[in-house]
Amino acid sequence: MTKILTGGVAKVETADAVRKLNRPGIEVTVSSDMDAAMKLRMNQADYYFGTCHTGAGASLGVLVGLMGSAACHTFGRSIPTEEQITALLDGGKKVFGFSMDQVDAVVPLLVSALAARG
């Protein structure tokens, strides 16, 4: 089971977008930044999707501070390709930030890449 936590301005919308995809083996929970960082560090969750108005600093600020930049990546306002996401996952990224108006475009790509990992 892959456990995803969502946080930030559009945390509920992001969780709903994950649920709508109805992927077996993917579980999603709405979270706060601090709780997500603790759960990730204790291996009680696998990934975090954070949102803010621009997809820049605020979407991941707390997570970068507690998890380190090596575990985090923000897409900002860009839409990544599945290949870019796969490369980030291969590089150990677990925390992803993006703008709240990109939820419907970014979430399916992230979830698809995670589901492909088994």
Side-chain angles (χ1 to χ4, degrees), residues 7-99:
V9 178
K11 62 186 171 189
V12 172
E13 294 86 347
T14 302
D16 288 345
V18 172
R19 287 185 193 106
K20 283 182 200 173
L21 296 170
N22 199 29
R23 289 292 189 118
I26 301 284
E27 178 183 301
V28 65
T29 303
V30 174
S31 180
S32 70
D33 295 353
M34 289 297 292
D35 190 46
M38 294 303 115
K39 285 183 177 177
L40 287 165
R41 289 174 70 163
M42 296 173 62
N43 294 318
Q44 295 175 348
D46 302 300
Y47 298 96
Y48 175 82
F49 300 169
T51 53
C52 69
H53 291 283
T54 64
S59 64
L60 300 181
V62 170
L63 279 292
V64 170
L66 295 175
M67 299 287 299
S69 61
C72 303
H73 179 80
T74 183
F75 298 113
R77 296 192 49 73
S78 67
I79 306 295
T81 64
E82 201 164 323
E83 293 78 22
Q84 289 169 320
I85 294 170
T86 298
L88 291 165
L89 292 169
D90 289 345
K93 302 295 185 191
K94 295 179 172 278
V95 177
F96 297 94
F98 44 95
S99 64

